[in-house]
Amino acid sequence: MVRRDVIAAFAALALVPCAAVAQDTAKIGLILPMTGQQASTGKQIDAAVKLYQAQHGTTVAGKKVEVILKDDTSVPDVTKRLAQELVVNDKVAFLAGFGITPSALATAPIATQAKVPEIVMAAGTSSITEASPYVARTSFTLAQSSVPMAQWAFKNGIKKVVTLVSDYGPGIDAEKSFSETFKADGGTIVENLRVPMRSPDFSPVLQKVADAKPDALFVFVPSGTGAQFVKQFVERGLDKSGIKLIATGDVTDDDQLNGMGDVMVGVINAHNYSANHDSAVNKAFVAAFRKANNGLRPNFMAVGGYDGMHLIYEALKKTDGATDGDKLMAAIKGMAWESPRGPISIDPETRDIVQNIYIRKVAKVDGELYNVEFETIPNVKDPVKAAKKK
């Protein structure tokens, strides 16, 4: 039945006029988790998309840009259905958003069939851009942060590590890339631990960490889940155990960091964006975002959404408003600009983002907790794809 439904959906796609047909409106189908466990991701990206349009208007190259927001609740089957409806019924020129990897992957065949660019603003598994030639990413890959974190850890005296990740694509990428890099440098991985992405209970695995007594615990959990992890980390007494906590920046998410408490002070992590990033572009972005959203601090998901809109607007400018998928993808490849996170570009070969990765320490700044950058690794490509070329 599933196969029959897919065939029927693709047949429907073939029968309708594609988004390339001349029209006065260029529609963006924005699919996000607005409810459920990843609702923080949806809230941040939606707010950033609205801010970008408030600042840059809703007309580009003679086309009115209309955003159609859909809530997929982080359920890939729902994502896929919504993507099909947006292409067939709404004739969108872009599909965008995608809070988690399974949702982005579920949409890739639709993007290919309909020749509609899929702009990934959140999901971080390396393989996503390989699932369709019409996928481009403005977020990050987990390996971009995990490899620098492993290198920093070994250089700074950490010799034995336990890894703890959420058991799905990005988590497995983070575990593999951290572990391989750390071992290649001469370190020891004591154990690789995984927890379910949905309804995670960290207590059993944290007990294993306590028993193993590593120098450090390396953690990846998706945006929105960090607070729950930290709560159980403290309840288990690991904050007083002498085991260092190192992480990707998903764990020390700007959206939730203040609520995690002072136990986070000193946590070292690696990531692509901090609201504390010291640049004029970022200071203006943070001020505008907070003003538009009742003081809410933007996180790395917000920047992925904001830059995703920039990519879409600039692609439309390059095509003079044409919404032919192949022309848009040609415009997207190699595009470069100054983001609130620093200089970024779209790798013309992989359609993945190239960006600075920062090593940061959680510290108090003016009474608030921030990820304070102290080391920069410039122009990092996705290490997983880079390794395939060797």
Side-chain angles (χ1 to χ4, degrees):
M1 183 174 288
V2 172
R3 184 171 180 272
R4 190 168 64 243
D5 289 346
V6 171
I7 291 170
F10 284 162
L13 292 178
L15 292 173
V16 298
C18 73
V21 174
Q23 51 187 5
D24 294 329
T25 303
K27 297 178 182 179
I28 303 168
L30 184 63
I31 307 177
L32 293 170
M34 301 304 296
T35 54
Q37 194 174 337
Q38 270 72 47
S40 162
T41 293
K43 172 185 69 175
Q44 286 273 346
I45 293 176
D46 179 42
V49 167
K50 286 182 168 69
L51 175 63
Y52 191 90
Q53 289 205 295
Q55 293 176 328
H56 297 87
T58 57
T59 303
V60 179
K63 292 287 178 72
K64 180 175 175 56
V65 180
E66 178 186 345
V67 176
I68 304 171
L69 176 63
K70 299 288 184 180
D71 178 14
D72 68 353
T73 68
S74 290
V75 177
D77 286 345
V78 176
T79 314
K80 186 175 183 178
R81 175 178 57 78
L82 292 172
Q84 289 170 340
E85 291 172 357
L86 285 162
V87 169
V88 175
N89 299 334
D90 297 290
K91 301 177 178 58
V92 295
F94 296 89
L95 292 162
F98 311 107
I100 60 172
T101 290
S103 294
L105 291 175
T107 304
I110 297 166
T112 302
Q113 179 75 12
K115 296 186 177 182
V116 170
E118 176 183 344
I119 310 302
V120 177
M121 298 173 167
T125 301
S126 174
S127 62
I128 291 173
T129 55
E130 296 170 324
S132 168
Y134 293 90
V135 174
R137 175 160 29 205
T138 58
S139 51
F140 57 94
T141 74
L142 258 298
Q144 282 180 314
S145 296
S146 302
V147 168
M149 189 72 264
Q151 292 168 335
W152 184 92
F154 188 77
K155 282 191 297 186
N156 286 272
I158 294 172
K159 306 301 181 188
K160 294 193 303 179
V161 172
V162 171
T163 70
L164 192 167
V165 303
S166 294
D167 191 7
Y168 75 125
I172 293 163
D173 272 3
E175 174 190 285
K176 187 172 186 288
S177 56
F178 180 94
S179 298
E180 289 179 353
T181 303
F182 192 68
K183 287 188 288 188
D185 285 348
T188 300
I189 299 296
V190 180
E191 195 168 359
N192 296 123
L193 301 172
R194 298 178 184 178
V195 292
M197 188 179 74
R198 294 188 178 277
S199 304
D201 180 8
F202 298 102
S203 297
V205 289
L206 286 173
Q207 186 57 52
K208 289 185 179 181
V209 174
D211 294 342
K213 297 182 174 61
D215 298 330
L217 171 64
F218 168 74
V219 182
F220 160 76
V221 294
S223 176
T225 312
Q228 182 182 348
F229 163 75
V230 171
K231 179 174 181 289
Q232 294 187 5
F233 183 83
V234 173
E235 287 172 353
R236 286 274 163 177
L238 268 73
D239 58 316
K240 298 178 176 65
S241 68
I243 299 171
K244 294 184 176 70
L245 179 60
I246 58 177
T248 64
D250 313 72
V251 178
T252 60
D253 183 350
D254 272 303
D255 193 19
Q256 299 189 342
L257 188 54
N258 271 320
M260 294 182 191
D262 288 355
V263 67
M264 298 304 292
V265 172
V267 172
I268 304 294
N269 63 92
H271 221 228
N272 62 313
Y273 175 72
S274 168
N276 185 248
H277 179 65
D278 188 15
S279 76
V281 172
N282 185 54
K283 287 175 180 176
F285 169 69
V286 171
F289 191 96
R290 297 191 86 148
K291 183 179 180 182
N293 294 283
N294 298 314
L296 178 68
R297 183 193 295 183
N299 70 356
F300 63 101
M301 292 299 184
V303 168
Y306 193 79
D307 287 331
M309 288 299 288
H310 179 87
L311 189 72
I312 289 169
Y313 272 48
E314 293 303 308
L316 285 169
K317 288 177 186 177
K318 283 190 173 185
T319 65
D320 293 323
T323 52
D324 173 84
D326 291 320
K327 290 181 180 178
L328 289 169
M329 291 308 299
I332 284 168
K333 293 174 184 176
M335 199 180 290
W337 68 98
E338 180 73 17
S339 159
R341 69 186 103 175
I344 63 173
S345 63
I346 303 300
D347 187 325
E349 293 182 14
T350 66
R351 292 158 281 107
D352 234 327
I353 189 164
V354 180
Q355 60 191 328
N356 292 350
I357 296 297
Y358 306 96
I359 308 296
R360 306 99 58 88
K361 179 185 285 188
V362 177
K364 276 208 164 172
V365 180
D366 297 329
E368 291 190 41
L369 293 177
Y370 280 97
N371 293 293
V372 178
E373 299 161 359
F374 64 88
E375 189 173 318
T376 302
I377 301 93
N379 302 319
V380 179
K381 292 188 176 185
D382 172 41
V384 175
K385 295 186 187 71
K388 290 178 182 177
K389 294 180 180 180
K390 291 181 180 178

